[in-house]
Amino acid sequence: MEVIRCDLQTSYGRMFEAPFEPTEIHQGIQAGGWKKAPGNDGIGRESYWHNLAIVREDLCDVINQMFCAGTSRNNKNGE
C-alpha cells in the first residue's frame, strides 16, 4: 500500500492560522438560521444581523481573542 502525502504550501497553512476578518464574521452570521442562537449565550442571529454595523469590529476582536486563547468551541475549519 502506498502512503499518500499531502504537502501544502506554507501560505495555505498560514490562511488557517490568520485572524478572522470582519467579512468572515458577516458570512458566518448570514449562514446561520433565523431564530437560532450561534452560541451558548442565547443571542439570536437577528440580534447580530440588525446590529452588525455597530458591533462588527468588537465582535471580530472578541472572536479572534477566543480563537487565539483556545477557548472557542469550534476551530476556524469547523471541526
Side-chain angles (χ1 to χ4, degrees):
M1 177 181 270
E2 186 178 336
V3 175
I4 299 173
R5 294 187 56 199
C6 180
D7 295 323
L8 290 177
Q9 294 178 3
T10 306
S11 60
Y12 292 142
R14 287 188 190 132
M15 285 187 340
F16 292 110
E17 295 173 0
F20 288 95
E21 297 290 332
T23 54
E24 292 177 294
I25 306 297
H26 185 245
Q27 290 171 349
I29 291 170
Q30 284 182 320
W34 288 105
K35 297 184 181 178
K36 303 277 184 182
N40 296 2
D41 57 11
I43 298 173
R45 175 184 182 222
E46 294 83 356
S47 252
Y48 292 108
W49 181 263
H50 293 293
N51 297 302
L52 191 58
I54 299 167
V55 300
R56 171 181 280 212
E57 296 299 322
D58 292 331
L59 184 60
C60 192
D61 288 343
V62 168
I63 290 173
N64 279 317
Q65 288 175 13
M66 289 172 51
F67 179 72
C68 290
T71 56
S72 60
R73 280 184 24 196
N74 297 324
N75 67 21
K76 189 171 180 178
N77 302 326
E79 296 175 356

